[in-house]
């Protein structure tokens, strides 16, 4: 069961230390996510007002960086590496196998919140390509068959 979203007042207090024109957008987003595990939709407006900017600018920054989440984190987070080495070594086939087996598009999460599949950015562990990260841990040198087995284990709760 998902936790209730924080109140507007709670969010205002959380970001009260940040000021306009000081480069505080990313620190404010990080503080909200560090507190709640994700950035609730209503936090976008609160941060925009606090920093005297637009919700579109806040959302643009939030959606640009793959580490910011717009939903509470799933129990098992799967990040597909979109880096060049992974792509050259068959990463797109790995992604397709995961999407099909999990029944999720990239960026999707299961209805019960047990697992999610999202885009990850290259983190320099290219020696393990093609790879994914499961709750931050590298699972690499994947074949399509291994990706399917991994997805089945995750889907079944193993």
């Amino acid at each position: 069961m998902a936790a209730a979203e924080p109140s507007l007042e709670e969010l205002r207090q959380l970001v009260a230390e940040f000021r306009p024109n000081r480069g505080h957008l990313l620190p404010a987003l990080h503080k909200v996510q560090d507190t709640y595990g994700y950035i609730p939709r209503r936090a976008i407006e609160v941060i925009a007002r606090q920093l005297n900017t637009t919700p579109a600018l806040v959302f643009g920054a939030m959606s640009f960086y793959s580490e910011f989440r717009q939903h509470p984190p799933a129990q098992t987070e799967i990040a597909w590496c979109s880096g060049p080495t992974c792509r050259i070594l068959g990463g797109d086939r790995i992604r397709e196998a995961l999407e099909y087996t999990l029944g999720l598009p990239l960026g999707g999460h299961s209805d019960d919140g047990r697992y999610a599949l999202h885009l990850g950015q290259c983190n320099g562990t290219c020696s393990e390509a093609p790879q994914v990260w499961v709750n931050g841990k590298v699972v690499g040198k994947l074949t399509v068959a291994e990706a399917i087995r991994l997805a089945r284990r995750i889907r079944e709760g193993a």
Side-chain angles (χ1 to χ4, degrees):
M1 182 172 189
E5 281 207 4
S7 70
L8 290 174
E9 185 56 33
E10 190 178 348
L11 288 165
R12 285 184 192 115
Q13 289 177 8
L14 186 65
V15 300
E17 70 186 270
F18 301 109
R19 299 285 176 249
N21 304 316
R22 300 277 173 104
H24 286 176
L25 177 55
L26 293 179
L29 288 169
H30 279 290
K31 186 167 187 181
V32 171
Q33 181 159 297
D34 290 347
T35 301
Y36 302 108
Y38 74 110
I39 300 171
R41 184 174 277 305
R42 62 177 37 162
I44 296 169
E45 180 67 32
V46 171
I47 292 170
R49 284 180 189 253
Q50 180 66 27
L51 299 181
N52 195 28
T53 190
T54 65
L57 189 136
V58 175
F59 181 80
M62 182 181 83
S63 61
F64 178 79
Y65 294 101
S66 65
E67 70 266 15
F68 291 127
R69 288 187 290 274
Q70 298 176 48
H71 303 284
Q75 181 181 352
T76 302
E77 291 280 332
I78 307 148
W80 169 74
C81 182
S82 64
T85 304
C86 284
R87 302 286 291 266
I88 288 169
L89 294 175
D92 288 323
R93 292 189 323 271
I94 301 301
R95 178 186 43 83
E96 290 166 359
L98 292 169
E99 289 174 325
Y100 180 79
T101 306
L102 294 171
L104 297 176
L106 194 62
H109 57 280
S110 63
D111 291 336
D112 60 7
R114 287 189 313 109
Y115 51 88
L117 176 64
H118 58 90
L119 177 67
Q121 299 299 326
C122 180
N123 69 358
T125 55
C126 301
S127 63
E128 298 298 317
Q131 65 186 291
V132 297
W133 302 282
V134 178
N135 290 337
K137 182 180 176 194
V138 173
V139 179
K141 296 191 179 184
L142 286 172
T143 65
V144 170
E146 290 166 340
I148 291 169
R149 283 192 293 274
L150 172 67
R152 284 180 180 158
R153 284 194 310 270
I154 290 169
R155 190 183 65 209
E156 294 164 4

